[in-house]
Amino acid sequence: MDLIFQLEKLKEEALALISTAQSEKELEDLRVKFLGRKGEITMILRQIGKLSAEKKPIVGAKANEVRDWLETLIEDRLLRFKRSSFEEKLKSELVDITLPGRIPRRGRKHLITQTIEEIVDIFLSLGYWVAEGPEVETDYHNFTALNMPPHHPARSLWDTLYLKSPGEDLLLRTHTSPVQIRVMQKEKPPIFIVVPGKVYRRDVADSSHLPVFHQIEGLAVDEGITFADLKGTLEFFSQRMFGADKRVRFRPSYFPFTEPSAEVDVSCFCEGEGCRVCKGSGWLEILGAGMVDPNVFDEVGYNNEEYTGFAFGMGVERIAMLKYGVSDIRLFFDNDLRFLEQF
Ligand SMILES: [Zn+2]
């Protein structure tokens, strides 16, 4: 076939294909098809060498002209694709700067979280460190190791929810005290820890009880720790927490894991005159404490001739109620912002 005729046909075909191409990729493929190393124009150019001397320049000029025209056409179309995809991108990323911004509502820490941090900070300043443990506990850590073997009557004070678990007696921990056991099993004295966390009781919710609440446990174990250290520590804590003028009072009590045990009161905000909060007594009960029972040390393998220690535990909600004058514990978890925003 005559090469000039071939070139004309190729031009027609190329124009149809290039002008209907739908993407940059299609255009690149067409560039390869016509102008590539094995492209159709290249094939024609290679045949020119075999032509007669008079035809050579005519066909050669025509082939070059078609090649240049094709290159320009493809470039032009490519540019148009690039421009329109850029415009589309601009459109899709358009930001209407005339819209007023949405002001985010400023959050705050829940009063219970604030109270936990406040209490923990006081003990950190005394050199304590924070320990934590699982909320799903073994019966052993929650009761037995704390001097409450199965059928011990004190267990009924801390009724809880038991989990079905073959081979292991699991329950929702009733206090943060099992963490004492976990820490003492791993570490040697001296131990000075505070343990914040959630605890569970089989309690009906009323103005002073909830089935889930927060405790902070403290444990100090070393050589020569005495009841006087316990009193001094809790007096320091009470004055930092409730005010420098506060006095503390210890009343004898009973806990299976401490001996002797005490309920600890702090002097009321009414300065002893008697008010509704202290029910006229002038004192507010804030926590339970005592010297660690030697049986507990035996359980974790501490020599109870060498080491002594004290432990205390407080309800975070109760502390917050006393400090901030909250009359109903359920207010903390109703999550009514009108209440929470006050703190
Ligand atoms: Zn009072």
Side-chain angles (χ1 to χ4, degrees):
M1 198 194 295
D2 179 36
L3 286 178
I4 297 285
F5 178 68
Q6 264 190 50
L7 282 165
E8 283 300 333
K9 247 193 101 203
L10 191 146
K11 209 175 149 182
E12 233 170 81
E13 187 199 357
L15 180 65
L17 287 171
I18 291 167
S19 56
T20 55
Q22 296 299 317
S23 66
E24 287 179 46
K25 165 89 174 65
E26 255 179 73
L27 281 171
E28 289 298 346
D29 291 347
L30 288 172
R31 190 207 294 274
V32 173
K33 175 178 162 62
F34 293 111
L35 302 168
R37 249 169 6 96
K38 291 181 180 167
E40 293 178 23
I41 294 276
T42 320
M43 289 308 168
I44 290 172
L45 283 167
R46 274 189 202 154
Q47 294 177 49
I48 290 174
K50 298 174 200 152
L51 293 175
S52 61
E54 65 207 67
K55 272 195 170 175
K56 249 187 217 171
I58 305 167
V59 178
K62 179 72 181 172
N64 283 330
E65 178 206 310
V66 172
R67 189 188 58 199
D68 292 348
W69 172 82
L70 260 175
E71 268 170 7
T72 317
L73 186 67
I74 291 174
E75 274 313 310
D76 184 57
R77 294 286 299 178
L78 267 178
L79 201 66
R80 227 178 288 178
F81 271 119
K82 287 207 170 96
R83 200 178 297 143
S84 73
S85 72
F86 178 67
E87 273 161 17
E88 247 163 57
K89 200 164 174 236
L90 271 187
K91 241 182 256 173
S92 72
E93 288 175 2
L94 188 69
V95 177
D96 183 354
I97 56 166
T98 62
L99 262 180
R102 279 185 209 133
I103 298 166
R105 292 180 72 160
R106 182 171 290 194
R108 71 189 67 211
K109 284 179 181 166
H110 192 280
L111 181 58
I112 294 304
T113 305
Q114 288 180 40
T115 308
I116 289 173
E117 289 180 356
E118 203 176 342
I119 296 168
V120 167
D121 276 350
I122 294 172
F123 286 100
L124 291 182
S125 77
L126 287 172
Y128 283 67
W129 68 94
V130 175
E132 286 176 304
E135 288 170 28
V136 174
E137 253 307 355
T138 64
D139 180 284
Y140 171 79
H141 287 93
N142 196 79
F143 290 124
T144 307
L146 288 161
N147 204 21
M148 279 181 280
H151 311 299
H152 192 289
R155 285 187 172 214
S156 62
L157 296 173
W158 292 284
D159 199 5
T160 182
L161 294 163
Y162 292 82
L163 284 81
K164 272 191 183 164
S165 47
E168 220 175 3
D169 292 329
L170 295 181
L171 46 79
L172 297 182
R173 68 179 180 190
T174 59
H175 46 188
T176 41
S177 310
V179 182
Q180 291 183 15
I181 301 297
R182 289 182 177 275
V183 170
M184 287 192 285
Q185 281 172 337
K186 272 199 302 226
E187 319 255 346
K188 292 280 156 233
I191 285 178
F192 291 89
I193 53 166
V194 276
V195 183
K198 281 194 181 67
V199 299
Y200 302 82
R201 300 277 171 92
R202 206 181 138 273
D203 263 339
V204 177
D206 63 26
S207 65
S208 55
H209 296 86
L210 282 175
V212 185
F213 59 101
H214 298 79
Q215 264 192 352
I216 290 185
E217 181 92 5
L219 173 71
V221 182
D222 204 351
E223 288 172 34
I225 288 196
T226 68
F227 201 88
D229 297 317
L230 171 61
K231 281 192 92 167
T233 301
L234 292 181
E235 190 170 71
F236 175 82
F237 162 72
S238 303
Q239 292 177 348
R240 286 284 292 273
M241 194 68 196
F242 296 103
D245 57 334
K246 290 286 172 281
R247 286 164 295 129
V248 289
R249 177 175 85 166
F250 281 57
R251 285 177 290 111
S253 185
Y254 168 78
F255 302 108
F257 34 92
T258 47
E259 178 63 34
S261 305
E263 299 276 2
V264 180
D265 299 341
V266 63
S267 51
C268 183
F269 298 97
C270 65
E271 316 258 331
E273 289 196 6
C275 67
R276 204 170 46 86
V277 184
C278 61
K279 300 193 179 79
S281 72
W283 294 93
L284 302 167
E285 186 189 321
I286 55 164
L287 54 84
M291 301 305 287
V292 179
D293 194 295
N295 288 345
V296 174
F297 285 153
D298 288 344
E299 194 65 43
V300 297
Y302 283 6
N303 179 352
N304 65 44
E305 298 291 324
E306 195 180 351
Y307 297 112
T308 50
F310 61 75
F312 55 86
M314 64 187 98
V316 177
E317 283 80 359
R318 175 155 180 83
I319 301 281
M321 286 168 83
L322 293 173
K323 179 157 182 172
Y324 298 99
V326 176
S327 57
D328 192 321
I329 194 172
R330 290 168 294 194
L331 285 168
F332 293 126
F333 304 108
D334 285 343
N335 286 332
D336 185 332
L337 287 178
R338 288 170 301 179
F339 171 75
L340 294 175
E341 278 173 352
Q342 295 174 50
F343 306 103

